[in-house]
Amino acid sequence: MMRELILNTQLSQRFNRETLARTVGACIMPLIILGLSVVFGVLEPRFFTGQNLGNILVQSSFLIVLAVGQMFSLIVRGFDLSVGQLISMVSVASALVMAHLASTMPEAPFLAVAVGLGAGLAIGVAAGLINGLNIAVLEVHPFVATLGMLGICQGIASTISGGFPVFDVPDVLARAFLHNRIFGIPLPVATAILVCVVAAFVLNRTVFGRMLYLVGSNPRASVTAGIPAKRVLVGAFVTCSLITAIAALMLTARTGSGEPLMGGGLMLQSIAAAVIGGVSLRGGEGRVLHCVIGGIFITMLSNGMNMVRVEGYFQMIVLGVVVITGVFLDRLRKR
């Protein structure tokens, strides 16, 4: 009797500690965002203007979509280093397709845009499939496989564009994306919401989503349980690249041109947004809400530093510190 009482007490204490840890983990990032906004608001009063807050919301939509894609690879204990250069390749390739079709069929700009968008999505799926097969079938480490894809995407983007931006993209793309609203919501934000809703449904309401968490939590146990782990890995990286292609098309619409250097530091930002928001680098843990919080945090941090005139090189240092802090918080959550 006494032994059972002691065991129940220990279980209750452990449950209370885990509940407290989850509560603190859920509250810490919103509190940091609130504190950060207060600091920037004191340093620069224009930070709290409606125009700037709306700008933060629109800018964060691109990073949120990219972080959601990166989350799928992180859940299965991987990561995708190629997302930045994949964005450049998709942007350039889709812009070339749109520009070519617009020149040959000037009377059908919407068809040119539709075919260009489809080509961009197809390129994303192909890149994800190559990454997934290398990792799952050939058992190449995700770091090596996606690093190789990074070089391939960078080379293709520079080659087909000649190293210069691709212009002559139909104006209808930029006008529709930048000026249209859905129920009063800017189209970039609405697109990000749609991606988040679909991703949350896939993760929480489908068999594929549950298998992602199982494979990421314990790969050996998932194989023993009869889960097709290799197919799940391939699906995770295909989904990551597909969502990355969506982010690339959003950025192409915003700039109105295909940019071979568009990816830039977006790979680091996508990992930072996902990890600092709460997605675990150890796999098996991550929610869409984590990416939303992390994306808003990174965007707000960058926006605030720009408004108080912090140099770009120092901003890169701050972003690196954010990544390290995210890894540290991840270790604390595991403890």
Side-chain angles (χ1 to χ4, degrees):
M1 186 72 178
M2 182 61 68
R3 187 175 181 179
E4 293 180 357
L5 180 60
I6 294 174
L7 179 60
N8 290 333
T9 302
Q10 291 175 343
L11 291 174
S12 177
Q13 291 175 348
R14 180 178 178 181
F15 175 78
N16 291 334
R17 287 196 301 268
E18 292 178 352
T19 302
L20 178 62
R22 284 194 295 268
T23 303
V24 173
C27 295
I28 187 169
M29 278 309 300
L31 291 176
I32 291 176
I33 291 175
L34 179 61
L36 189 66
S37 61
V38 170
V39 171
F40 284 134
V42 171
L43 295 176
E44 177 54 72
R46 292 180 301 169
F47 181 82
F48 281 121
T49 61
Q51 180 180 1
N52 185 60
L53 294 178
N55 185 37
I56 291 175
L57 188 61
V58 172
Q59 287 182 349
S60 64
S61 62
F62 303 99
L63 184 55
I64 289 172
V65 171
L66 195 56
V68 169
Q70 189 71 254
M71 176 185 63
F72 277 85
S73 63
L74 290 171
I75 288 176
V76 293
R77 297 193 177 192
F79 44 81
D80 193 344
L81 299 179
S82 66
V83 295
Q85 300 307 323
L86 178 59
I87 285 176
S88 299
M89 184 173 71
V90 170
S91 174
V92 169
S94 61
L96 283 172
V97 172
M98 294 180 201
H100 174 72
L101 292 178
S103 63
T104 56
M105 299 183 299
E107 71 284 354
F110 289 98
L111 178 61
V113 169
V115 174
L117 295 179
L121 296 177
I123 292 172
V125 172
L129 186 60
I130 294 173
N131 281 336
L133 291 175
N134 282 333
I135 294 168
V137 179
L138 301 182
E139 298 183 355
V140 179
H141 193 278
F143 179 88
V144 178
T146 57
L147 183 63
M149 181 56 67
L150 180 153
I152 293 172
C153 293
Q154 184 177 18
I156 293 176
S158 300
T159 301
I160 63 179
S161 66
F164 298 98
V166 178
F167 298 107
D168 298 328
V169 175
D171 294 337
V172 64
L173 176 65
R175 288 201 306 268
F177 192 74
L178 294 178
H179 302 296
N180 281 5
R181 292 175 176 266
I182 298 178
F183 300 111
I185 302 174
L187 192 55
V189 179
T191 303
I193 293 174
L194 178 61
V195 171
C196 289
V197 170
V198 173
F201 177 81
V202 170
L203 290 174
N204 299 321
R205 300 294 181 181
T206 66
V207 176
F208 173 66
R210 303 314 304 166
M211 288 193 296
L212 283 174
Y213 288 113
L214 291 173
V215 171
S217 300
N218 196 328
R220 292 184 179 180
S222 64
V223 173
T224 304
I227 294 176
K230 291 185 178 181
R231 280 188 287 175
V232 172
L233 284 174
V234 173
F237 280 91
V238 168
T239 305
C240 173
S241 294
L242 175 60
I243 297 178
T244 300
I246 294 175
L249 295 173
M250 292 171 62
L251 291 168
T252 303
R254 184 181 70 170
T255 59
S257 61
E259 303 288 340
L261 301 177
M262 181 177 287
L266 290 177
M267 179 271 292
L268 181 60
Q269 291 185 26
S270 68
I271 296 177
V275 173
I276 199 69
V279 180
S280 176
L281 287 171
R282 299 170 183 267
E285 182 180 344
R287 294 289 184 270
V288 172
L289 181 60
H290 296 157
C291 299
V292 174
I293 294 174
I296 292 175
F297 172 77
I298 296 295
T299 305
M300 181 179 292
L301 182 64
S302 177
N303 177 272
M305 288 191 295
N306 286 331
M307 295 196 73
V308 298
R309 298 175 180 84
V310 176
E311 293 184 0
Y313 295 115
F314 185 77
Q315 292 188 28
M316 295 176 63
I317 296 175
V318 173
L319 184 59
V321 172
V322 167
V323 175
I324 297 174
T325 303
V327 175
F328 175 70
L329 292 176
D330 179 52
R331 291 180 64 88
L332 289 181
R333 285 193 295 267
K334 288 297 181 181
R335 290 180 183 178

